Amino acid sequence: MVDTTPVTRALETFADRLRAAPQSRLQRGAAAEALELARELSRRAQLAEEPGAEPRVMPDAGMFAAADQITVAGHDLVLVLKTEDEVAEAVRLVAEAQRRAGV
């Protein structure tokens, strides 16, 4: 079994920073960046769980839900990660999104 703790920590850090960010920062793109990450994490989880099926797109639940969306999508992905390379890739995705979001 692969250790997914680094992914969980990265997700929690990003989510906490989003929750603490001012509304103006969320409006300037942090929430949109988080939604994009949540959609990608969700897509990857769905493809791992149902290969060949068309992934469903996570809806936009609004800027104040962005932190929850990355948390839910990320934890879904964590459940299907099988290798250290997949863990490293997930951590990279979260870190890059957080950097682009500026939080």
Side-chain angles (χ1 to χ4, degrees):
M1 188 166 170
V2 65
D3 179 16
T4 58
T5 304
V7 180
T8 302
R9 284 187 186 141
L11 287 165
E12 289 173 358
T13 298
F14 190 13
D16 288 346
R17 290 185 178 172
L18 285 168
R19 288 183 186 105
Q23 183 174 345
S24 60
R25 172 77 45 105
L26 296 174
Q27 290 171 323
R28 285 194 312 262
E33 190 62 49
L35 176 60
E36 185 176 323
L37 173 65
R39 286 177 171 167
E40 178 60 19
L41 298 176
S42 175
R43 184 188 73 79
R44 288 174 184 236
Q46 290 177 63
L47 289 173
E49 290 175 334
E50 301 174 30
E54 185 67 29
R56 296 164 306 283
V57 177
M58 181 174 280
D60 183 346
M63 70 178 153
F64 297 114
D68 293 332
Q69 288 184 290
I70 64 168
T71 300
V72 169
H75 286 288
D76 285 349
L77 180 63
V78 162
L79 294 174
V80 298
L81 295 176
K82 294 183 174 91
T83 69
E84 292 297 326
D85 287 342
E86 290 174 343
V87 169
E89 174 67 7
V91 170
R92 184 190 65 75
L93 286 172
V94 174
E96 287 179 358
Q98 183 176 338
R99 180 187 50 77
R100 287 190 302 268
V103 295

Coordinates of all heavy atoms in Angstrom, one line a residue:
M1 N 0.8 -1.2 0.0 CA 0.0 0.0 0.0 C 0.9 1.2 0.0 O 1.9 1.3 0.7 CB -0.9 0.0 1.2 CG -1.9 1.1 1.2 SD -3.2 0.7 2.5 CE -4.0 2.2 2.4
V2 N 0.5 2.2 -0.8 CA 1.3 3.4 -1.0 C 0.9 4.5 0.1 O -0.2 4.5 0.5 CB 1.1 4.0 -2.4 CG1 -0.3 4.4 -2.7 CG2 2.1 5.1 -2.7
D3 N 1.9 5.2 0.5 CA 1.7 6.3 1.5 C 1.2 7.5 0.8 O 1.9 8.2 0.0 CB 3.0 6.6 2.3 CG 2.8 7.7 3.3 OD1 1.6 8.0 3.7 OD2 3.8 8.2 3.8
T4 N -0.1 7.9 1.0 CA -0.7 9.0 0.4 C -0.7 10.3 1.3 O -1.3 11.3 0.9 CB -2.1 8.7 0.0 OG1 -2.9 8.3 1.1 CG2 -2.1 7.6 -1.1
T5 N 0.0 10.2 2.4 CA 0.0 11.3 3.3 C 0.5 12.6 2.7 O -0.1 13.7 3.0 CB 0.9 11.0 4.6 OG1 0.4 9.8 5.2 CG2 0.9 12.1 5.6
P6 N 1.5 12.6 1.8 CA 1.9 13.9 1.2 C 0.8 14.5 0.4 O 0.7 15.8 0.4 CB 3.1 13.5 0.3 CG 3.6 12.2 0.9 CD 2.4 11.5 1.5
V7 N 0.0 13.8 -0.2 CA -1.1 14.3 -1.0 C -2.1 15.0 -0.1 O -2.6 16.1 -0.3 CB -1.8 13.3 -1.9 CG1 -3.0 13.9 -2.7 CG2 -0.8 12.6 -2.8
T8 N -2.5 14.2 1.0 CA -3.4 14.7 2.0 C -3.0 16.0 2.6 O -3.7 17.0 2.7 CB -3.7 13.7 3.0 OG1 -4.2 12.5 2.4 CG2 -4.7 14.1 4.0
R9 N -1.7 16.1 2.9 CA -1.1 17.3 3.5 C -1.2 18.5 2.6 O -1.5 19.6 2.9 CB 0.3 17.1 4.0 CG 0.4 16.3 5.3 CD 1.8 16.2 5.8 NE 1.9 15.4 6.9 CZ 2.9 14.5 7.1 NH1 3.9 14.5 6.3 NH2 2.9 13.8 8.2
A10 N -0.8 18.2 1.3 CA -0.8 19.3 0.3 C -2.3 19.8 0.1 O -2.5 21.0 0.0 CB -0.2 18.8 -1.0
L11 N -3.2 18.9 0.0 CA -4.6 19.3 -0.1 C -5.1 20.1 1.1 O -5.8 21.1 0.9 CB -5.5 18.0 -0.3 CG -5.4 17.3 -1.6 CD1 -6.0 15.9 -1.5 CD2 -6.0 18.1 -2.7
E12 N -4.8 19.6 2.3 CA -5.3 20.4 3.5 C -4.6 21.8 3.5 O -5.3 22.7 3.9 CB -4.9 19.5 4.7 CG -5.8 18.3 4.8 CD -5.4 17.4 6.0 OE1 -4.4 17.7 6.7 OE2 -6.0 16.4 6.2
T13 N -3.4 21.9 3.2 CA -2.7 23.2 3.2 C -3.4 24.1 2.2 O -3.7 25.3 2.5 CB -1.2 23.0 2.9 OG1 -0.6 22.2 3.9 CG2 -0.5 24.4 2.8
F14 N -3.6 23.7 1.0 CA -4.2 24.5 0.0 C -5.6 24.9 0.4 O -6.0 26.0 0.3 CB -4.2 23.8 -1.4 CG -4.6 24.6 -2.6 CD1 -4.7 26.0 -2.5 CD2 -4.9 24.0 -3.8 CE1 -5.1 26.7 -3.6 CE2 -5.3 24.7 -4.9 CZ -5.4 26.1 -4.8
A15 N -6.4 23.9 0.9 CA -7.8 24.2 1.3 C -7.8 25.2 2.4 O -8.6 26.1 2.4 CB -8.5 22.9 1.7
D16 N -6.9 25.0 3.4 CA -6.8 26.0 4.5 C -6.5 27.4 4.1 O -7.1 28.4 4.5 CB -5.8 25.5 5.6 CG -6.3 24.3 6.4 OD1 -7.5 24.0 6.3 OD2 -5.4 23.7 7.0
R17 N -5.6 27.5 3.1 CA -5.2 28.8 2.6 C -6.4 29.4 1.8 O -6.5 30.7 1.9 CB -3.9 28.7 1.8 CG -2.8 28.4 2.7 CD -1.5 28.4 2.0 NE -0.4 28.2 2.9 CZ 0.8 28.0 2.6 NH1 1.2 28.0 1.3 NH2 1.8 27.8 3.5
L18 N -7.1 28.6 1.1 CA -8.3 29.2 0.4 C -9.3 29.7 1.4 O -9.9 30.7 1.2 CB -8.9 28.1 -0.5 CG -8.1 27.8 -1.8 CD1 -8.7 26.5 -2.4 CD2 -8.2 28.9 -2.8
R19 N -9.6 28.9 2.4 CA -10.5 29.3 3.4 C -10.2 30.6 4.1 O -11.0 31.4 4.5 CB -10.8 28.2 4.4 CG -11.5 27.0 3.9 CD -11.8 25.9 4.9 NE -12.4 24.8 4.3 CZ -11.7 23.6 4.0 NH1 -10.5 23.5 4.4 NH2 -12.4 22.6 3.5
A20 N -8.9 30.8 4.2 CA -8.4 32.0 4.9 C -8.2 33.2 4.0 O -8.0 34.4 4.5 CB -7.0 31.7 5.6
A21 N -8.3 33.0 2.7 CA -8.0 34.0 1.7 C -9.2 35.0 1.7 O -10.3 34.7 1.9 CB -7.9 33.4 0.3
P22 N -8.9 36.3 1.5 CA -9.9 37.3 1.4 C -10.7 37.0 0.1 O -10.2 36.5 -0.9 CB -9.2 38.6 1.3 CG -7.8 38.3 0.9 CD -7.5 36.9 1.3
Q23 N -12.0 37.5 0.1 CA -12.8 37.3 -1.0 C -12.2 37.9 -2.3 O -12.3 37.3 -3.4 CB -14.2 38.0 -0.8 CG -15.2 37.8 -1.9 CD -16.6 38.4 -1.6 OE1 -16.9 38.7 -0.4 NE2 -17.4 38.5 -2.6
S24 N -11.5 39.0 -2.2 CA -10.9 39.6 -3.4 C -9.9 38.7 -4.0 O -9.8 38.6 -5.2 CB -10.2 40.9 -3.0 OG -9.2 40.7 -2.0
R25 N -9.1 37.9 -3.2 CA -8.2 37.0 -3.8 C -8.9 35.8 -4.5 O -8.5 35.4 -5.5 CB -7.3 36.5 -2.6 CG -6.3 35.3 -3.0 CD -5.1 35.7 -3.7 NE -4.4 36.8 -3.2 CZ -3.3 36.9 -2.5 NH1 -2.7 35.7 -2.2 NH2 -2.7 38.0 -2.2
L26 N -10.0 35.4 -3.9 CA -10.8 34.3 -4.5 C -11.3 34.8 -5.8 O -11.3 34.1 -6.8 CB -11.9 33.9 -3.6 CG -11.5 33.2 -2.3 CD1 -12.7 33.0 -1.4 CD2 -10.7 31.9 -2.5
Q27 N -11.8 36.0 -5.9 CA -12.4 36.6 -7.1 C -11.3 36.8 -8.2 O -11.6 36.8 -9.4 CB -13.1 37.9 -6.8 CG -14.3 37.7 -6.0 CD -14.9 39.0 -5.6 OE1 -14.2 40.0 -5.2 NE2 -16.3 39.1 -5.6
R28 N -10.1 37.1 -7.8 CA -9.0 37.3 -8.7 C -8.4 36.1 -9.3 O -7.4 36.1 -10.1 CB -7.9 38.2 -8.1 CG -8.2 39.6 -7.9 CD -7.0 40.5 -7.6 NE -6.2 39.9 -6.5 CZ -6.2 40.3 -5.3 NH1 -7.1 41.2 -4.9 NH2 -5.4 39.7 -4.4
G29 N -9.0 34.9 -9.0 CA -8.6 33.7 -9.7 C -8.2 32.5 -8.8 O -8.1 31.4 -9.3
A30 N -8.1 32.7 -7.5 CA -7.7 31.6 -6.7 C -8.8 30.5 -6.7 O -8.5 29.3 -6.7 CB -7.5 32.1 -5.2
A31 N -10.1 31.0 -6.6 CA -11.2 30.0 -6.6 C -11.3 29.3 -8.0 O -11.5 28.1 -8.0 CB -12.5 30.7 -6.3
A32 N -11.1 30.0 -9.0 CA -11.1 29.4 -10.4 C -10.0 28.3 -10.5 O -10.2 27.3 -11.1 CB -11.0 30.4 -11.5
E33 N -8.8 28.7 -10.0 CA -7.7 27.7 -10.0 C -8.0 26.5 -9.2 O -7.7 25.4 -9.6 CB -6.4 28.4 -9.5 CG -5.2 27.6 -9.7 CD -4.9 27.4 -11.2 OE1 -4.9 28.3 -12.0 OE2 -4.6 26.2 -11.5
A34 N -8.6 26.7 -8.0 CA -9.0 25.6 -7.2 C -10.0 24.7 -7.9 O -10.0 23.4 -7.8 CB -9.5 26.1 -5.8
L35 N -11.0 25.3 -8.5 CA -12.0 24.5 -9.2 C -11.4 23.7 -10.4 O -11.7 22.5 -10.6 CB -13.1 25.4 -9.8 CG -14.2 24.7 -10.6 CD1 -14.9 23.6 -9.8 CD2 -15.2 25.7 -11.2
E36 N -10.4 24.3 -11.1 CA -9.8 23.6 -12.1 C -9.0 22.4 -11.6 O -9.0 21.3 -12.1 CB -8.8 24.5 -12.9 CG -8.1 23.9 -14.1 CD -7.2 24.9 -14.8 OE1 -7.6 26.1 -14.9 OE2 -6.2 24.4 -15.3
L37 N -8.3 22.6 -10.4 CA -7.7 21.5 -9.8 C -8.7 20.4 -9.4 O -8.4 19.2 -9.6 CB -6.9 21.9 -8.6 CG -6.2 20.8 -7.7 CD1 -5.2 20.1 -8.5 CD2 -5.6 21.4 -6.5
A38 N -9.7 20.8 -8.7 CA -10.7 19.8 -8.3 C -11.3 19.0 -9.4 O -11.4 17.8 -9.3 CB -11.9 20.5 -7.6
R39 N -11.5 19.7 -10.5 CA -12.0 18.9 -11.7 C -11.0 17.9 -12.2 O -11.3 16.8 -12.6 CB -12.4 19.9 -12.8 CG -13.7 20.6 -12.5 CD -14.1 21.7 -13.5 NE -15.4 22.2 -13.3 CZ -15.9 23.2 -13.9 NH1 -15.2 23.9 -14.7 NH2 -17.2 23.6 -13.6
E40 N -9.7 18.3 -12.2 CA -8.7 17.4 -12.7 C -8.5 16.2 -11.8 O -8.4 15.1 -12.2 CB -7.4 18.1 -12.9 CG -6.2 17.3 -13.3 CD -6.4 16.6 -14.7 OE1 -7.3 17.0 -15.5 OE2 -5.7 15.6 -14.9
L41 N -8.5 16.5 -10.5 CA -8.4 15.4 -9.5 C -9.6 14.5 -9.6 O -9.4 13.2 -9.6 CB -8.3 16.0 -8.1 CG -7.0 16.8 -7.8 CD1 -7.1 17.4 -6.4 CD2 -5.7 16.1 -8.0
S42 N -10.7 15.0 -9.8 CA -12.0 14.2 -9.9 C -11.9 13.4 -11.2 O -12.2 12.2 -11.2 CB -13.2 15.1 -9.9 OG -14.3 14.4 -10.2
R43 N -11.4 14.0 -12.3 CA -11.3 13.3 -13.5 C -10.4 12.1 -13.4 O -10.7 10.9 -13.8 CB -10.8 14.2 -14.6 CG -10.8 13.6 -16.0 CD -10.1 14.5 -17.0 NE -8.6 14.6 -16.8 CZ -7.8 13.7 -17.2 NH1 -8.2 12.6 -17.8 NH2 -6.5 13.8 -16.9
R44 N -9.2 12.3 -12.8 CA -8.3 11.2 -12.6 C -8.8 10.1 -11.7 O -8.6 8.9 -12.0 CB -7.0 11.8 -12.0 CG -6.2 12.6 -13.0 CD -5.0 13.3 -12.3 NE -4.3 14.1 -13.3 CZ -3.0 14.0 -13.6 NH1 -2.3 13.1 -13.0 NH2 -2.5 14.9 -14.5
A45 N -9.5 10.5 -10.6 CA -10.1 9.4 -9.8 C -11.1 8.6 -10.5 O -11.2 7.4 -10.4 CB -10.7 10.1 -8.5
Q46 N -12.0 9.3 -11.3 CA -13.0 8.6 -12.0 C -12.4 7.6 -13.1 O -12.9 6.5 -13.2 CB -14.0 9.6 -12.7 CG -14.8 10.3 -11.7 CD -15.7 11.3 -12.4 OE1 -16.5 11.0 -13.2 NE2 -15.5 12.6 -12.1
L47 N -11.4 8.1 -13.8 CA -10.8 7.2 -14.8 C -10.1 6.0 -14.1 O -10.1 4.9 -14.7 CB -9.7 8.0 -15.6 CG -10.3 9.1 -16.5 CD1 -9.2 9.9 -17.1 CD2 -11.1 8.4 -17.6
A48 N -9.6 6.2 -12.9 CA -9.0 5.0 -12.2 C -10.1 4.0 -11.8 O -9.9 2.8 -11.8 CB -8.1 5.5 -11.1
E49 N -11.2 4.6 -11.3 CA -12.3 3.7 -10.8 C -13.1 3.1 -11.9 O -13.6 2.0 -11.8 CB -13.2 4.5 -9.9 CG -12.6 5.0 -8.6 CD -13.4 5.9 -7.8 OE1 -14.3 6.6 -8.4 OE2 -13.3 5.9 -6.6
E50 N -13.3 3.8 -13.0 CA -14.1 3.3 -14.1 C -13.4 3.5 -15.5 O -13.8 4.4 -16.2 CB -15.4 4.0 -14.1 CG -16.2 3.9 -12.9 CD -17.5 4.8 -12.9 OE1 -18.0 5.0 -14.0 OE2 -17.9 5.2 -11.8
P51 N -12.3 2.8 -15.7 CA -11.6 2.9 -17.0 C -12.6 2.8 -18.2 O -13.4 1.9 -18.2 CB -10.6 1.8 -17.0 CG -10.5 1.4 -15.6 CD -11.8 1.7 -14.9
G52 N -12.4 3.7 -19.1 CA -13.2 3.6 -20.3 C -14.5 4.4 -20.2 O -15.2 4.7 -21.2
A53 N -14.9 4.8 -19.0 CA -16.2 5.5 -18.8 C -15.9 7.0 -19.0 O -14.7 7.5 -18.7 CB -16.8 5.3 -17.5
E54 N -16.8 7.8 -19.5 CA -16.6 9.2 -19.6 C -16.7 9.9 -18.2 O -17.8 9.8 -17.6 CB -17.7 9.8 -20.5 CG -17.6 11.2 -20.9 CD -16.4 11.6 -21.7 OE1 -15.9 10.7 -22.5 OE2 -15.9 12.7 -21.6
P55 N -15.7 10.5 -17.8 CA -15.7 11.2 -16.5 C -16.8 12.3 -16.4 O -17.0 13.0 -17.4 CB -14.3 11.8 -16.3 CG -13.5 11.1 -17.3 CD -14.4 10.7 -18.4
R56 N -17.4 12.4 -15.3 CA -18.4 13.5 -15.1 C -17.6 14.7 -14.7 O -16.6 14.6 -14.0 CB -19.4 13.1 -14.0 CG -20.3 11.9 -14.5 CD -21.0 11.3 -13.4 NE -20.2 10.8 -12.2 CZ -19.5 9.7 -12.2 NH1 -19.4 8.9 -13.3 NH2 -18.8 9.4 -11.1
V57 N -18.1 15.9 -15.0 CA -17.4 17.2 -14.7 C -17.9 17.7 -13.4 O -19.1 17.8 -13.2 CB -17.6 18.2 -15.8 CG1 -16.9 19.5 -15.4 CG2 -17.0 17.7 -17.1
M58 N -17.0 18.0 -12.5 CA -17.4 18.6 -11.2 C -18.1 20.0 -11.5 O -17.4 20.8 -12.2 CB -16.2 18.7 -10.3 CG -16.6 19.3 -8.9 SD -15.2 19.3 -7.7 CE -15.3 17.6 -7.2
P59 N -19.2 20.2 -10.9 CA -19.9 21.5 -11.2 C -19.2 22.6 -10.4 O -18.5 22.4 -9.4 CB -21.3 21.3 -10.7 CG -21.2 20.2 -9.6 CD -20.0 19.3 -10.1
D60 N -19.4 23.8 -10.9 CA -18.9 25.0 -10.2 C -19.9 25.3 -9.1 O -21.0 25.8 -9.3 CB -18.8 26.2 -11.1 CG -18.2 27.4 -10.5 OD1 -18.2 27.5 -9.3 OD2 -17.9 28.4 -11.3
A61 N -19.5 25.1 -7.8 CA -20.4 25.4 -6.7 C -20.2 26.8 -6.1 O -20.7 27.1 -5.0 CB -20.2 24.3 -5.6
G62 N -19.4 27.6 -6.7 CA -19.1 28.9 -6.2 C -17.8 29.1 -5.5 O -17.2 28.1 -5.1
M63 N -17.3 30.3 -5.5 CA -15.9 30.5 -5.0 C -15.8 30.1 -3.5 O -14.7 29.7 -3.1 CB -15.5 31.9 -5.2 CG -16.2 33.0 -4.4 SD -15.5 34.6 -4.7 CE -16.9 35.6 -4.3
F64 N -16.8 30.2 -2.7 CA -16.7 29.8 -1.3 C -16.7 28.3 -1.1 O -16.4 27.9 0.0 CB -17.7 30.5 -0.5 CG -17.6 32.0 -0.5 CD1 -18.6 32.8 -1.1 CD2 -16.5 32.7 0.0 CE1 -18.5 34.1 -1.2 CE2 -16.4 34.0 -0.1 CZ -17.4 34.8 -0.7
A65 N -17.0 27.5 -2.1 CA -16.9 26.1 -2.0 C -15.7 25.5 -2.6 O -15.5 24.3 -2.5 CB -18.1 25.5 -2.7
A66 N -14.8 26.3 -3.1 CA -13.6 25.8 -3.8 C -12.7 24.9 -2.9 O -12.2 23.9 -3.3 CB -12.8 27.0 -4.3
A67 N -12.5 25.4 -1.6 CA -11.7 24.6 -0.7 C -12.3 23.2 -0.5 O -11.6 22.2 -0.5 CB -11.5 25.3 0.6
D68 N -13.6 23.1 -0.3 CA -14.3 21.9 -0.1 C -14.2 21.0 -1.3 O -14.0 19.8 -1.2 CB -15.7 22.1 0.3 CG -15.9 22.7 1.7 OD1 -15.0 22.6 2.5 OD2 -16.9 23.4 1.9
Q69 N -14.3 21.6 -2.5 CA -14.2 20.8 -3.7 C -12.9 20.2 -3.9 O -12.8 19.0 -4.3 CB -14.6 21.7 -4.9 CG -16.1 22.0 -4.9 CD -16.6 22.7 -6.2 OE1 -16.2 23.9 -6.3 NE2 -17.3 22.1 -7.0
I70 N -11.8 20.9 -3.7 CA -10.5 20.2 -3.8 C -10.3 19.2 -2.8 O -9.7 18.1 -3.1 CB -9.3 21.2 -3.9 CG1 -9.1 22.0 -2.5 CG2 -9.4 22.2 -5.0 CD1 -7.8 22.7 -2.4
T71 N -10.8 19.4 -1.6 CA -10.7 18.4 -0.5 C -11.4 17.1 -0.9 O -10.9 16.0 -0.8 CB -11.2 18.9 0.8 OG1 -10.5 20.1 1.1 CG2 -11.1 17.9 1.9
V72 N -12.7 17.2 -1.4 CA -13.5 16.0 -1.8 C -12.8 15.3 -2.9 O -12.6 14.1 -2.9 CB -14.9 16.4 -2.1 CG1 -15.7 15.3 -2.7 CG2 -15.6 16.9 -0.8
A73 N -12.5 16.1 -4.0 CA -11.9 15.4 -5.2 C -10.6 14.8 -4.9 O -10.2 13.7 -5.3 CB -11.8 16.5 -6.3
G74 N -9.8 15.5 -4.1 CA -8.5 15.0 -3.7 C -8.5 13.7 -2.9 O -7.8 12.8 -3.1
H75 N -9.5 13.7 -1.9 CA -9.6 12.4 -1.1 C -10.1 11.3 -2.0 O -9.8 10.1 -1.7 CB -10.5 12.7 0.1 CG -9.7 13.5 1.1 ND1 -8.7 13.0 1.9 CD2 -9.8 14.8 1.5 CE1 -8.2 13.9 2.7 NE2 -8.9 15.0 2.5
D76 N -11.0 11.6 -3.0 CA -11.4 10.5 -3.9 C -10.2 10.0 -4.6 O -10.1 8.8 -4.8 CB -12.5 11.0 -4.9 CG -13.8 11.2 -4.3 OD1 -14.1 10.8 -3.1 OD2 -14.7 11.9 -4.9
L77 N -9.3 10.9 -5.1 CA -8.1 10.4 -5.8 C -7.2 9.6 -4.9 O -6.7 8.6 -5.3 CB -7.4 11.6 -6.4 CG -6.1 11.3 -7.2 CD1 -6.5 10.4 -8.4 CD2 -5.4 12.5 -7.6
V78 N -7.0 10.1 -3.7 CA -6.1 9.4 -2.8 C -6.5 7.9 -2.6 O -5.7 7.0 -2.5 CB -6.1 10.1 -1.4 CG1 -5.6 9.2 -0.3 CG2 -5.3 11.4 -1.5
L79 N -7.8 7.6 -2.7 CA -8.3 6.3 -2.5 C -7.9 5.3 -3.6 O -7.9 4.1 -3.5 CB -9.8 6.2 -2.4 CG -10.4 6.9 -1.1 CD1 -11.9 7.0 -1.2 CD2 -9.9 6.1 0.1
V80 N -7.5 5.9 -4.8 CA -7.2 5.0 -6.0 C -5.7 5.1 -6.4 O -5.3 4.4 -7.3 CB -8.1 5.4 -7.2 CG1 -9.6 5.1 -6.8 CG2 -7.9 6.8 -7.6
L81 N -4.9 5.9 -5.7 CA -3.5 6.0 -6.0 C -2.8 4.7 -5.7 O -3.0 4.1 -4.6 CB -2.8 7.1 -5.3 CG -3.3 8.5 -5.6 CD1 -2.6 9.6 -4.8 CD2 -3.1 8.8 -7.1
K82 N -2.0 4.2 -6.6 CA -1.4 2.9 -6.4 C 0.1 2.9 -6.3 O 0.7 2.0 -5.8 CB -1.8 1.9 -7.5 CG -3.3 1.6 -7.5 CD -3.6 0.6 -8.6 CE -5.1 0.2 -8.5 NZ -6.0 1.0 -9.2
T83 N 0.8 4.0 -6.8 CA 2.2 4.0 -6.9 C 2.8 5.3 -6.3 O 2.0 6.3 -6.2 CB 2.7 3.9 -8.3 OG1 2.4 5.1 -9.0 CG2 2.2 2.6 -9.0
E84 N 4.0 5.3 -5.9 CA 4.7 6.5 -5.4 C 4.7 7.5 -6.5 O 4.6 8.7 -6.2 CB 6.1 6.1 -5.0 CG 6.2 5.3 -3.7 CD 5.5 6.0 -2.5 OE1 5.7 7.2 -2.4 OE2 4.9 5.3 -1.7
D85 N 4.8 7.1 -7.8 CA 4.8 8.1 -8.9 C 3.5 8.8 -9.0 O 3.4 10.0 -9.2 CB 5.2 7.4 -10.2 CG 6.6 7.0 -10.3 OD1 7.5 7.6 -9.6 OD2 6.9 6.2 -11.2
E86 N 2.4 8.1 -8.8 CA 1.1 8.7 -8.8 C 0.9 9.7 -7.6 O 0.3 10.7 -7.8 CB 0.0 7.6 -8.7 CG -0.1 6.8 -10.0 CD -1.1 5.7 -9.9 OE1 -1.5 5.3 -8.8 OE2 -1.5 5.1 -10.9
V87 N 1.5 9.3 -6.5 CA 1.4 10.2 -5.3 C 2.2 11.5 -5.6 O 1.7 12.6 -5.4 CB 2.0 9.5 -4.1 CG1 2.2 10.5 -2.9 CG2 1.0 8.4 -3.6
A88 N 3.4 11.3 -6.2 CA 4.2 12.5 -6.5 C 3.6 13.4 -7.5 O 3.6 14.6 -7.4 CB 5.6 12.0 -7.0
E89 N 2.9 12.8 -8.5 CA 2.2 13.6 -9.5 C 1.0 14.3 -8.9 O 0.8 15.5 -9.2 CB 1.7 12.6 -10.6 CG 0.8 13.3 -11.7 CD 1.6 14.4 -12.5 OE1 2.8 14.5 -12.4 OE2 0.9 15.0 -13.3
A90 N 0.3 13.7 -8.0 CA -0.8 14.4 -7.3 C -0.3 15.6 -6.5 O -0.9 16.7 -6.5 CB -1.6 13.4 -6.5
V91 N 0.8 15.4 -5.7 CA 1.4 16.4 -4.9 C 1.8 17.6 -5.9 O 1.6 18.8 -5.6 CB 2.6 15.9 -4.1 CG1 3.3 17.1 -3.5 CG2 2.1 15.0 -3.0
R92 N 2.4 17.3 -7.0 CA 2.8 18.3 -7.9 C 1.7 19.1 -8.5 O 1.7 20.3 -8.5 CB 3.6 17.6 -9.1 CG 4.2 18.6 -10.1 CD 4.7 18.0 -11.4 NE 3.6 17.3 -12.2 CZ 2.7 18.0 -12.9 NH1 2.8 19.3 -13.0 NH2 1.8 17.3 -13.6
L93 N 0.6 18.4 -8.8 CA -0.6 19.1 -9.3 C -1.2 20.1 -8.3 O -1.5 21.2 -8.6 CB -1.7 18.1 -9.7 CG -1.5 17.3 -10.9 CD1 -2.6 16.2 -11.0 CD2 -1.6 18.1 -12.1
V94 N -1.2 19.6 -7.0 CA -1.7 20.5 -6.0 C -0.8 21.7 -5.7 O -1.3 22.8 -5.7 CB -2.0 19.7 -4.6 CG1 -2.4 20.6 -3.5 CG2 -3.0 18.6 -4.8
A95 N 0.5 21.4 -5.7 CA 1.5 22.5 -5.4 C 1.4 23.5 -6.6 O 1.5 24.8 -6.3 CB 2.9 21.9 -5.3
E96 N 1.3 23.1 -7.8 CA 1.3 24.0 -8.9 C 0.0 24.9 -8.9 O 0.1 26.1 -9.2 CB 1.5 23.3 -10.3 CG 2.8 22.7 -10.5 CD 3.0 22.0 -11.8 OE1 2.0 21.8 -12.5 OE2 4.1 21.5 -12.1
A97 N -1.1 24.2 -8.6 CA -2.4 25.0 -8.5 C -2.3 26.0 -7.4 O -2.8 27.1 -7.6 CB -3.5 24.0 -8.4
Q98 N -1.8 25.6 -6.3 CA -1.7 26.6 -5.2 C -0.8 27.7 -5.5 O -1.1 28.9 -5.2 CB -1.1 25.8 -3.9 CG -1.1 26.8 -2.7 CD -0.6 26.0 -1.5 OE1 -0.7 24.8 -1.4 NE2 -0.1 26.8 -0.5
R99 N 0.3 27.5 -6.2 CA 1.2 28.5 -6.7 C 0.5 29.5 -7.6 O 0.5 30.7 -7.5 CB 2.5 28.0 -7.3 CG 3.5 29.0 -7.8 CD 4.6 28.4 -8.6 NE 4.2 27.5 -9.7 CZ 3.7 27.9 -10.9 NH1 3.5 29.2 -11.1 NH2 3.4 27.0 -11.8
R100 N -0.2 28.9 -8.6 CA -1.0 29.8 -9.6 C -2.1 30.6 -8.9 O -2.4 31.7 -9.3 CB -1.5 28.9 -10.7 CG -0.5 28.4 -11.7 CD -1.1 27.8 -12.9 NE -2.0 26.6 -12.6 CZ -1.6 25.4 -12.5 NH1 -0.4 25.0 -12.7 NH2 -2.5 24.4 -12.2
A101 N -2.7 30.0 -7.8 CA -3.7 30.6 -7.1 C -3.2 31.8 -6.2 O -4.0 32.7 -5.9 CB -4.5 29.6 -6.2
G102 N -2.0 31.7 -5.9 CA -1.4 32.8 -5.1 C -1.8 32.8 -3.7 O -1.8 33.8 -3.0
V103 N -2.0 31.6 -3.1 CA -2.4 31.5 -1.7 C -1.4 30.6 -1.0 O -0.8 29.8 -1.5 CB -3.9 31.0 -1.5 CG1 -4.8 32.1 -2.0 CG2 -4.1 29.7 -2.1

